[in-house]
Amino acid sequence: MPDHLIEPHGGTLVDVWIDDVRRRELPDESRDWPSWSLTRRQMCDLELLLNGGFSPLRGFVGQADYESICSSMRLADGTLWPIPVTLDVSEEIAKRLDGGGRLALRDPEGVMLAALRVEDVWKPDRLAEAESVFATTSPEHPGVAHLLDVANPYYVGGTLEAVQLPIHYDFRTLRLTPAELRAEFARLGWRRIVAFQTRDPMHRAHQEITLRAAIEVKANLLIHPVVGLVQPTEADHYTRVRCYQALLPRYPHETVKLSLLPLAERLAGPRDAVWHAIIGKNHGCTHLLVDRDHSAPGPDSTGKPFYTPGAAQDLLGQHEAELGVAMVPSKTMVYVENLDKYVPEDEVPAGSRTLSISRTQLRNRLAEGREIPEWFTFREIGEELRKSTPPRHRQGFTVFFTGLSGAGKSTLAKALLDKFLEIGGRPVTLLDGDIVRRHLSSELGFSKEHRDINIRRIGFVASEITKNGGIAICAPIAPYDRVRKEVRAMIQPLGGMILVHVATPLDVCEARDRKGLYAKARAGIIKEFTGISDPYEEPADADVVIDTADVTPEEAVQQIILHLERDGYVGASVAD
Ligand code: PPS
């Protein structure tokens, strides 16, 4: 794009802040308003609405803008804006706001961050929105899955009155608002700034790409990592930010700035590229680095990408002049072994051997405690990643037993507890069904609703233990598949999780009837008894299945230990 089309000062930032008089009035005035407790995603959107990062939006979009964005990537007045920034609320709140009025937007602790002057309330057509914004209705796309399964059913649009920004306690000096970043660039005398928005740790290839881009367009570099809400990557944002900080000295002195972007990512590929350019411009940037798969989720289950490679670059390319932001296509860099350096993919000398490590391979290397070569990432970055992703034999895990009453869960759980204590090295906690019912869930009965609450509580405690490197052994009946899956999803990102189905048949459990409960259940004295008058959904996803009628406790424990050993959670490791 020709230089004269670039807008160097980033355009006008909206200001939705109220003055001191209004600030004093609001607490009284808002007493009778309905309140909405913002989700994490909404908190991210609100922060960028309040700090001007989403200029020219002055609030959550109304219905006319929403429809226009979906159909033509523009607000109703024609301004380019590709992503509907909507506030999704429950039916109950939507009904209360039908005639307009105000909505107090609060953080999860109840602090009022902003007031919304309600202009529109409507029930969107989610499938149509998914098709327009994500170009797919497949729930395999995380953006679509959120829209169809998680988002609340109604949208509320209106302008905002800002009370205060969401509070962050981490990396405060790195959280610069658009106005602060612009002021910083002005102070430094930077007029051309290329933004690199990323959700991954930066390795050597990224450093090469960004440095080359900065040199090519004669600009300074803004590393602008997305730290709001991202799909799980190999590292949480704390680790990532430490990695970026560690990378800064690898650039020429005083050429790079690092600032965190509290964005909730959408992964809308080409539309995202245009959106990110607008956001970058609002933060004072003149250029945006865009790769061929910019902001795309991984491929679908058939291996097909959701967006045509290069489509994001093309779409932004078509709109860069209108936006005043130049699209800088980022080249795929590969490591050439005999040259010992990174070169663009299309410049690799014929016959050279190139090396690469995929995301999954990196994750596996970290989990297995294997070396991360220095041609791939700088030593200090590798160390940061290692600190927060210890090898599996040092991670926590949960062994979750499920099975009928009297199946032998408690016996196996106790035998396993002893085995882990004998092996040593990690703290172990036993969350047996009876113990939990006494200490955590004493007020609960055996309805489906109560059983689900009980299992969620167990899952929560187990996830905390797992996160902190311990071993949790859980042994409830856990008769329902859906909540068992919920627990797995809660624990798996934090460490290991194996589901052990103690599949002792009902007739054997009933014949044993150690506590005399089956007899009482048959006699109708105990109601809703699992297996007799209440369902037990057999797990189809058990990692280990044990029928205690066939094996001794020692053999069963051995099966579980072997499974854990195979996955690397116990036993020797190459790193030791
Ligand atoms: S659940 O379904 O997972 O919440 O159940 P859990 O917390 O494991 O509690 C099961 C133990 O409670 C006793 N008990 C009953 N079990 C099943 N159904 C009914 N209605 C019931 N009433 C009491 C029973 O002793 C279970 O212990 P275990 O060790 O499984 O035999």
Side-chain angles (χ1 to χ4, degrees), residues 125-156:
D125 177 346
R126 282 164 199 282
L127 278 177
E129 179 181 338
E131 188 58 58
S132 309
V133 176
F134 297 108
T136 173
T137 53
S138 164
E140 287 184 21
H141 186 299
V144 176
H146 173 85
L147 191 58
L148 301 184
D149 302 336
V150 182
N152 292 292
Y154 286 82
Y155 285 163
V156 180

PDB file of all heavy atoms in Angstrom, residues 125-156:
ATOM      1  N   ASP A 125     -30.566 -14.803  15.292  1.00  0.00           N
ATOM      2  CA  ASP A 125     -30.540 -16.082  14.596  1.00  0.00           C
ATOM      3  C   ASP A 125     -29.079 -16.534  14.592  1.00  0.00           C
ATOM      4  O   ASP A 125     -28.262 -16.074  13.800  1.00  0.00           O
ATOM      5  CB  ASP A 125     -31.063 -15.862  13.159  1.00  0.00           C
ATOM      6  CG  ASP A 125     -30.989 -17.148  12.346  1.00  0.00           C
ATOM      7  OD1 ASP A 125     -30.310 -18.099  12.770  1.00  0.00           O
ATOM      8  OD2 ASP A 125     -31.617 -17.177  11.265  1.00  0.00           O
ATOM      9  N   ARG A 126     -28.770 -17.443  15.518  1.00  0.00           N
ATOM     10  CA  ARG A 126     -27.364 -17.788  15.741  1.00  0.00           C
ATOM     11  C   ARG A 126     -26.717 -18.528  14.579  1.00  0.00           C
ATOM     12  O   ARG A 126     -25.540 -18.350  14.291  1.00  0.00           O
ATOM     13  CB  ARG A 126     -27.228 -18.626  16.997  1.00  0.00           C
ATOM     14  CG  ARG A 126     -27.316 -17.753  18.180  1.00  0.00           C
ATOM     15  CD  ARG A 126     -27.577 -18.499  19.428  1.00  0.00           C
ATOM     16  NE  ARG A 126     -28.065 -17.521  20.353  1.00  0.00           N
ATOM     17  CZ  ARG A 126     -27.271 -16.670  20.995  1.00  0.00           C
ATOM     18  NH1 ARG A 126     -25.992 -16.708  20.838  1.00  0.00           N
ATOM     19  NH2 ARG A 126     -27.784 -15.775  21.805  1.00  0.00           N
ATOM     20  N   LEU A 127     -27.507 -19.383  13.949  1.00  0.00           N
ATOM     21  CA  LEU A 127     -26.935 -20.129  12.818  1.00  0.00           C
ATOM     22  C   LEU A 127     -26.571 -19.167  11.695  1.00  0.00           C
ATOM     23  O   LEU A 127     -25.506 -19.273  11.088  1.00  0.00           O
ATOM     24  CB  LEU A 127     -27.933 -21.171  12.306  1.00  0.00           C
ATOM     25  CG  LEU A 127     -27.961 -22.487  13.083  1.00  0.00           C
ATOM     26  CD1 LEU A 127     -29.029 -23.403  12.527  1.00  0.00           C
ATOM     27  CD2 LEU A 127     -26.598 -23.188  13.050  1.00  0.00           C
ATOM     28  N   ALA A 128     -27.472 -18.194  11.462  1.00  0.00           N
ATOM     29  CA  ALA A 128     -27.184 -17.218  10.401  1.00  0.00           C
ATOM     30  C   ALA A 128     -25.951 -16.400  10.777  1.00  0.00           C
ATOM     31  O   ALA A 128     -25.094 -16.116   9.934  1.00  0.00           O
ATOM     32  CB  ALA A 128     -28.394 -16.308  10.208  1.00  0.00           C
ATOM     33  N   GLU A 129     -25.846 -16.043  12.059  1.00  0.00           N
ATOM     34  CA  GLU A 129     -24.665 -15.278  12.495  1.00  0.00           C
ATOM     35  C   GLU A 129     -23.394 -16.092  12.278  1.00  0.00           C
ATOM     36  O   GLU A 129     -22.390 -15.585  11.769  1.00  0.00           O
ATOM     37  CB  GLU A 129     -24.805 -14.885  13.981  1.00  0.00           C
ATOM     38  CG  GLU A 129     -23.594 -14.119  14.488  1.00  0.00           C
ATOM     39  CD  GLU A 129     -23.677 -13.722  15.966  1.00  0.00           C
ATOM     40  OE1 GLU A 129     -24.787 -13.657  16.521  1.00  0.00           O
ATOM     41  OE2 GLU A 129     -22.608 -13.485  16.570  1.00  0.00           O
ATOM     42  N   ALA A 130     -23.430 -17.373  12.671  1.00  0.00           N
ATOM     43  CA  ALA A 130     -22.252 -18.237  12.509  1.00  0.00           C
ATOM     44  C   ALA A 130     -21.845 -18.302  11.041  1.00  0.00           C
ATOM     45  O   ALA A 130     -20.666 -18.144  10.706  1.00  0.00           O
ATOM     46  CB  ALA A 130     -22.550 -19.634  13.047  1.00  0.00           C
ATOM     47  N   GLU A 131     -22.820 -18.484  10.190  1.00  0.00           N
ATOM     48  CA  GLU A 131     -22.526 -18.608   8.754  1.00  0.00           C
ATOM     49  C   GLU A 131     -21.894 -17.312   8.224  1.00  0.00           C
ATOM     50  O   GLU A 131     -20.918 -17.353   7.480  1.00  0.00           O
ATOM     51  CB  GLU A 131     -23.839 -18.926   8.008  1.00  0.00           C
ATOM     52  CG  GLU A 131     -23.670 -19.276   6.555  1.00  0.00           C
ATOM     53  CD  GLU A 131     -22.762 -20.475   6.305  1.00  0.00           C
ATOM     54  OE1 GLU A 131     -23.063 -21.553   6.831  1.00  0.00           O
ATOM     55  OE2 GLU A 131     -21.747 -20.314   5.583  1.00  0.00           O
ATOM     56  N   SER A 132     -22.440 -16.160   8.647  1.00  0.00           N
ATOM     57  CA  SER A 132     -21.904 -14.887   8.140  1.00  0.00           C
ATOM     58  C   SER A 132     -20.519 -14.593   8.699  1.00  0.00           C
ATOM     59  O   SER A 132     -19.625 -14.206   7.966  1.00  0.00           O
ATOM     60  CB  SER A 132     -22.792 -13.710   8.545  1.00  0.00           C
ATOM     61  OG  SER A 132     -24.116 -13.947   8.229  1.00  0.00           O
ATOM     62  N   VAL A 133     -20.370 -14.756  10.010  1.00  0.00           N
ATOM     63  CA  VAL A 133     -19.133 -14.289  10.643  1.00  0.00           C
ATOM     64  C   VAL A 133     -18.017 -15.333  10.514  1.00  0.00           C
ATOM     65  O   VAL A 133     -16.873 -14.997  10.214  1.00  0.00           O
ATOM     66  CB  VAL A 133     -19.383 -13.964  12.135  1.00  0.00           C
ATOM     67  CG1 VAL A 133     -18.088 -13.570  12.830  1.00  0.00           C
ATOM     68  CG2 VAL A 133     -20.420 -12.858  12.250  1.00  0.00           C
ATOM     69  N   PHE A 134     -18.364 -16.600  10.722  1.00  0.00           N
ATOM     70  CA  PHE A 134     -17.327 -17.646  10.723  1.00  0.00           C
ATOM     71  C   PHE A 134     -17.292 -18.434   9.414  1.00  0.00           C
ATOM     72  O   PHE A 134     -16.461 -19.322   9.254  1.00  0.00           O
ATOM     73  CB  PHE A 134     -17.562 -18.606  11.896  1.00  0.00           C
ATOM     74  CG  PHE A 134     -17.449 -17.933  13.229  1.00  0.00           C
ATOM     75  CD1 PHE A 134     -18.578 -17.687  14.012  1.00  0.00           C
ATOM     76  CD2 PHE A 134     -16.216 -17.521  13.714  1.00  0.00           C
ATOM     77  CE1 PHE A 134     -18.484 -17.048  15.237  1.00  0.00           C
ATOM     78  CE2 PHE A 134     -16.107 -16.878  14.939  1.00  0.00           C
ATOM     79  CZ  PHE A 134     -17.249 -16.644  15.701  1.00  0.00           C
ATOM     80  N   ALA A 135     -18.243 -18.154   8.534  1.00  0.00           N
ATOM     81  CA  ALA A 135     -18.337 -18.865   7.254  1.00  0.00           C
ATOM     82  C   ALA A 135     -18.552 -20.364   7.442  1.00  0.00           C
ATOM     83  O   ALA A 135     -18.200 -21.165   6.581  1.00  0.00           O
ATOM     84  CB  ALA A 135     -17.097 -18.598   6.395  1.00  0.00           C
ATOM     85  N   THR A 136     -19.082 -20.754   8.586  1.00  0.00           N
ATOM     86  CA  THR A 136     -19.404 -22.156   8.829  1.00  0.00           C
ATOM     87  C   THR A 136     -20.413 -22.231   9.974  1.00  0.00           C
ATOM     88  O   THR A 136     -20.458 -21.318  10.804  1.00  0.00           O
ATOM     89  CB  THR A 136     -18.154 -22.978   9.200  1.00  0.00           C
ATOM     90  OG1 THR A 136     -18.554 -24.294   9.589  1.00  0.00           O
ATOM     91  CG2 THR A 136     -17.386 -22.383  10.361  1.00  0.00           C
ATOM     92  N   THR A 137     -21.175 -23.323   9.998  1.00  0.00           N
ATOM     93  CA  THR A 137     -22.034 -23.544  11.166  1.00  0.00           C
ATOM     94  C   THR A 137     -21.556 -24.788  11.925  1.00  0.00           C
ATOM     95  O   THR A 137     -22.254 -25.290  12.797  1.00  0.00           O
ATOM     96  CB  THR A 137     -23.504 -23.745  10.751  1.00  0.00           C
ATOM     97  OG1 THR A 137     -23.550 -24.774   9.768  1.00  0.00           O
ATOM     98  CG2 THR A 137     -24.115 -22.482  10.193  1.00  0.00           C
ATOM     99  N   SER A 138     -20.368 -25.245  11.597  1.00  0.00           N
ATOM    100  CA  SER A 138     -19.851 -26.458  12.252  1.00  0.00           C
ATOM    101  C   SER A 138     -19.469 -26.170  13.700  1.00  0.00           C
ATOM    102  O   SER A 138     -18.638 -25.284  13.956  1.00  0.00           O
ATOM    103  CB  SER A 138     -18.619 -26.961  11.508  1.00  0.00           C
ATOM    104  OG  SER A 138     -17.924 -27.867  12.337  1.00  0.00           O
ATOM    105  N   PRO A 139     -20.016 -26.933  14.644  1.00  0.00           N
ATOM    106  CA  PRO A 139     -19.623 -26.706  16.037  1.00  0.00           C
ATOM    107  C   PRO A 139     -18.177 -27.130  16.324  1.00  0.00           C
ATOM    108  O   PRO A 139     -17.679 -26.935  17.422  1.00  0.00           O
ATOM    109  CB  PRO A 139     -20.615 -27.576  16.829  1.00  0.00           C
ATOM    110  CG  PRO A 139     -21.238 -28.497  15.855  1.00  0.00           C
ATOM    111  CD  PRO A 139     -21.039 -27.962  14.477  1.00  0.00           C
ATOM    112  N   GLU A 140     -17.499 -27.681  15.317  1.00  0.00           N
ATOM    113  CA  GLU A 140     -16.065 -27.963  15.506  1.00  0.00           C
ATOM    114  C   GLU A 140     -15.262 -26.668  15.520  1.00  0.00           C
ATOM    115  O   GLU A 140     -14.115 -26.647  15.961  1.00  0.00           O
ATOM    116  CB  GLU A 140     -15.548 -28.847  14.374  1.00  0.00           C
ATOM    117  CG  GLU A 140     -16.023 -30.279  14.476  1.00  0.00           C
ATOM    118  CD  GLU A 140     -15.405 -31.148  13.395  1.00  0.00           C
ATOM    119  OE1 GLU A 140     -14.359 -30.787  12.832  1.00  0.00           O
ATOM    120  OE2 GLU A 140     -15.996 -32.195  13.118  1.00  0.00           O
ATOM    121  N   HIS A 141     -15.856 -25.608  14.992  1.00  0.00           N
ATOM    122  CA  HIS A 141     -15.197 -24.294  15.043  1.00  0.00           C
ATOM    123  C   HIS A 141     -15.463 -23.727  16.441  1.00  0.00           C
ATOM    124  O   HIS A 141     -16.630 -23.578  16.832  1.00  0.00           O
ATOM    125  CB  HIS A 141     -15.782 -23.390  13.964  1.00  0.00           C
ATOM    126  CG  HIS A 141     -15.066 -22.076  13.837  1.00  0.00           C
ATOM    127  ND1 HIS A 141     -14.980 -21.168  14.859  1.00  0.00           N
ATOM    128  CD2 HIS A 141     -14.375 -21.533  12.806  1.00  0.00           C
ATOM    129  CE1 HIS A 141     -14.295 -20.117  14.467  1.00  0.00           C
ATOM    130  NE2 HIS A 141     -13.906 -20.318  13.221  1.00  0.00           N
ATOM    131  N   PRO A 142     -14.403 -23.385  17.211  1.00  0.00           N
ATOM    132  CA  PRO A 142     -14.645 -22.947  18.594  1.00  0.00           C
ATOM    133  C   PRO A 142     -15.517 -21.705  18.700  1.00  0.00           C
ATOM    134  O   PRO A 142     -16.290 -21.575  19.658  1.00  0.00           O
ATOM    135  CB  PRO A 142     -13.242 -22.672  19.149  1.00  0.00           C
ATOM    136  CG  PRO A 142     -12.280 -23.202  18.154  1.00  0.00           C
ATOM    137  CD  PRO A 142     -12.985 -23.440  16.857  1.00  0.00           C
ATOM    138  N   GLY A 143     -15.425 -20.820  17.722  1.00  0.00           N
ATOM    139  CA  GLY A 143     -16.259 -19.608  17.743  1.00  0.00           C
ATOM    140  C   GLY A 143     -17.725 -19.970  17.563  1.00  0.00           C
ATOM    141  O   GLY A 143     -18.607 -19.417  18.235  1.00  0.00           O
ATOM    142  N   VAL A 144     -17.995 -20.903  16.673  1.00  0.00           N
ATOM    143  CA  VAL A 144     -19.368 -21.354  16.435  1.00  0.00           C
ATOM    144  C   VAL A 144     -19.876 -22.104  17.666  1.00  0.00           C
ATOM    145  O   VAL A 144     -21.019 -21.897  18.118  1.00  0.00           O
ATOM    146  CB  VAL A 144     -19.428 -22.257  15.177  1.00  0.00           C
ATOM    147  CG1 VAL A 144     -20.828 -22.808  14.983  1.00  0.00           C
ATOM    148  CG2 VAL A 144     -18.966 -21.483  13.944  1.00  0.00           C
ATOM    149  N   ALA A 145     -19.035 -22.957  18.219  1.00  0.00           N
ATOM    150  CA  ALA A 145     -19.435 -23.728  19.401  1.00  0.00           C
ATOM    151  C   ALA A 145     -19.839 -22.787  20.530  1.00  0.00           C
ATOM    152  O   ALA A 145     -20.851 -23.004  21.211  1.00  0.00           O
ATOM    153  CB  ALA A 145     -18.296 -24.641  19.852  1.00  0.00           C
ATOM    154  N   HIS A 146     -19.073 -21.715  20.701  1.00  0.00           N
ATOM    155  CA  HIS A 146     -19.424 -20.759  21.755  1.00  0.00           C
ATOM    156  C   HIS A 146     -20.776 -20.117  21.459  1.00  0.00           C
ATOM    157  O   HIS A 146     -21.647 -20.043  22.326  1.00  0.00           O
ATOM    158  CB  HIS A 146     -18.347 -19.682  21.880  1.00  0.00           C
ATOM    159  CG  HIS A 146     -18.742 -18.592  22.814  1.00  0.00           C
ATOM    160  ND1 HIS A 146     -18.550 -18.676  24.166  1.00  0.00           N
ATOM    161  CD2 HIS A 146     -19.405 -17.424  22.596  1.00  0.00           C
ATOM    162  CE1 HIS A 146     -19.058 -17.605  24.738  1.00  0.00           C
ATOM    163  NE2 HIS A 146     -19.572 -16.825  23.809  1.00  0.00           N
ATOM    164  N   LEU A 147     -20.922 -19.693  20.216  1.00  0.00           N
ATOM    165  CA  LEU A 147     -22.145 -19.000  19.814  1.00  0.00           C
ATOM    166  C   LEU A 147     -23.377 -19.893  19.986  1.00  0.00           C
ATOM    167  O   LEU A 147     -24.404 -19.466  20.512  1.00  0.00           O
ATOM    168  CB  LEU A 147     -21.988 -18.607  18.340  1.00  0.00           C
ATOM    169  CG  LEU A 147     -22.984 -17.651  17.730  1.00  0.00           C
ATOM    170  CD1 LEU A 147     -22.997 -16.344  18.482  1.00  0.00           C
ATOM    171  CD2 LEU A 147     -22.625 -17.409  16.255  1.00  0.00           C
ATOM    172  N   LEU A 148     -23.257 -21.155  19.580  1.00  0.00           N
ATOM    173  CA  LEU A 148     -24.428 -22.030  19.599  1.00  0.00           C
ATOM    174  C   LEU A 148     -24.680 -22.657  20.973  1.00  0.00           C
ATOM    175  O   LEU A 148     -25.824 -22.877  21.358  1.00  0.00           O
ATOM    176  CB  LEU A 148     -24.284 -23.145  18.558  1.00  0.00           C
ATOM    177  CG  LEU A 148     -24.113 -22.694  17.092  1.00  0.00           C
ATOM    178  CD1 LEU A 148     -24.086 -23.896  16.176  1.00  0.00           C
ATOM    179  CD2 LEU A 148     -25.211 -21.730  16.669  1.00  0.00           C
ATOM    180  N   ASP A 149     -23.612 -22.953  21.709  1.00  0.00           N
ATOM    181  CA  ASP A 149     -23.793 -23.738  22.946  1.00  0.00           C
ATOM    182  C   ASP A 149     -23.617 -22.942  24.231  1.00  0.00           C
ATOM    183  O   ASP A 149     -24.098 -23.353  25.278  1.00  0.00           O
ATOM    184  CB  ASP A 149     -22.788 -24.902  23.003  1.00  0.00           C
ATOM    185  CG  ASP A 149     -22.931 -25.820  21.818  1.00  0.00           C
ATOM    186  OD1 ASP A 149     -24.022 -25.838  21.252  1.00  0.00           O
ATOM    187  OD2 ASP A 149     -21.946 -26.496  21.464  1.00  0.00           O
ATOM    188  N   VAL A 150     -22.876 -21.856  24.182  1.00  0.00           N
ATOM    189  CA  VAL A 150     -22.514 -21.185  25.441  1.00  0.00           C
ATOM    190  C   VAL A 150     -23.192 -19.819  25.582  1.00  0.00           C
ATOM    191  O   VAL A 150     -23.681 -19.480  26.666  1.00  0.00           O
ATOM    192  CB  VAL A 150     -20.969 -21.006  25.543  1.00  0.00           C
ATOM    193  CG1 VAL A 150     -20.590 -20.356  26.863  1.00  0.00           C
ATOM    194  CG2 VAL A 150     -20.255 -22.334  25.374  1.00  0.00           C
ATOM    195  N   ALA A 151     -23.240 -19.060  24.493  1.00  0.00           N
ATOM    196  CA  ALA A 151     -23.745 -17.680  24.577  1.00  0.00           C
ATOM    197  C   ALA A 151     -25.200 -17.673  25.059  1.00  0.00           C
ATOM    198  O   ALA A 151     -25.964 -18.600  24.787  1.00  0.00           O
ATOM    199  CB  ALA A 151     -23.631 -17.003  23.212  1.00  0.00           C
ATOM    200  N   ASN A 152     -25.558 -16.609  25.773  1.00  0.00           N
ATOM    201  CA  ASN A 152     -26.936 -16.454  26.250  1.00  0.00           C
ATOM    202  C   ASN A 152     -27.862 -16.128  25.075  1.00  0.00           C
ATOM    203  O   ASN A 152     -27.424 -15.597  24.059  1.00  0.00           O
ATOM    204  CB  ASN A 152     -26.990 -15.337  27.299  1.00  0.00           C
ATOM    205  CG  ASN A 152     -26.257 -15.740  28.559  1.00  0.00           C
ATOM    206  OD1 ASN A 152     -26.688 -16.626  29.289  1.00  0.00           O
ATOM    207  ND2 ASN A 152     -25.104 -15.118  28.805  1.00  0.00           N
ATOM    208  N   PRO A 153     -29.167 -16.385  25.230  1.00  0.00           N
ATOM    209  CA  PRO A 153     -30.053 -16.364  24.055  1.00  0.00           C
ATOM    210  C   PRO A 153     -30.421 -14.992  23.490  1.00  0.00           C
ATOM    211  O   PRO A 153     -30.838 -14.897  22.354  1.00  0.00           O
ATOM    212  CB  PRO A 153     -31.309 -17.078  24.554  1.00  0.00           C
ATOM    213  CG  PRO A 153     -31.281 -16.952  26.034  1.00  0.00           C
ATOM    214  CD  PRO A 153     -29.843 -16.916  26.422  1.00  0.00           C
ATOM    215  N   TYR A 154     -30.305 -13.924  24.282  1.00  0.00           N
ATOM    216  CA  TYR A 154     -30.730 -12.599  23.805  1.00  0.00           C
ATOM    217  C   TYR A 154     -29.525 -11.659  23.709  1.00  0.00           C
ATOM    218  O   TYR A 154     -28.551 -11.816  24.455  1.00  0.00           O
ATOM    219  CB  TYR A 154     -31.770 -11.984  24.749  1.00  0.00           C
ATOM    220  CG  TYR A 154     -33.123 -12.635  24.609  1.00  0.00           C
ATOM    221  CD1 TYR A 154     -33.405 -13.828  25.268  1.00  0.00           C
ATOM    222  CD2 TYR A 154     -34.108 -12.072  23.802  1.00  0.00           C
ATOM    223  CE1 TYR A 154     -34.642 -14.449  25.127  1.00  0.00           C
ATOM    224  CE2 TYR A 154     -35.342 -12.688  23.657  1.00  0.00           C
ATOM    225  CZ  TYR A 154     -35.605 -13.872  24.315  1.00  0.00           C
ATOM    226  OH  TYR A 154     -36.821 -14.477  24.157  1.00  0.00           O
ATOM    227  N   TYR A 155     -29.645 -10.665  22.831  1.00  0.00           N
ATOM    228  CA  TYR A 155     -28.627  -9.618  22.743  1.00  0.00           C
ATOM    229  C   TYR A 155     -29.233  -8.301  23.209  1.00  0.00           C
ATOM    230  O   TYR A 155     -30.418  -8.023  22.960  1.00  0.00           O
ATOM    231  CB  TYR A 155     -28.155  -9.425  21.298  1.00  0.00           C
ATOM    232  CG  TYR A 155     -27.228 -10.514  20.774  1.00  0.00           C
ATOM    233  CD1 TYR A 155     -27.008 -10.650  19.402  1.00  0.00           C
ATOM    234  CD2 TYR A 155     -26.549 -11.387  21.631  1.00  0.00           C
ATOM    235  CE1 TYR A 155     -26.164 -11.629  18.901  1.00  0.00           C
ATOM    236  CE2 TYR A 155     -25.702 -12.364  21.139  1.00  0.00           C
ATOM    237  CZ  TYR A 155     -25.510 -12.487  19.773  1.00  0.00           C
ATOM    238  OH  TYR A 155     -24.678 -13.450  19.282  1.00  0.00           O
ATOM    239  N   VAL A 156     -28.391  -7.507  23.865  1.00  0.00           N
ATOM    240  CA  VAL A 156     -28.798  -6.169  24.290  1.00  0.00           C
ATOM    241  C   VAL A 156     -27.795  -5.189  23.707  1.00  0.00           C
ATOM    242  O   VAL A 156     -26.586  -5.351  23.902  1.00  0.00           O
ATOM    243  CB  VAL A 156     -28.754  -6.046  25.835  1.00  0.00           C
ATOM    244  CG1 VAL A 156     -29.178  -4.646  26.249  1.00  0.00           C
ATOM    245  CG2 VAL A 156     -29.642  -7.071  26.478  1.00  0.00           C
TER     246      VAL A 156
END
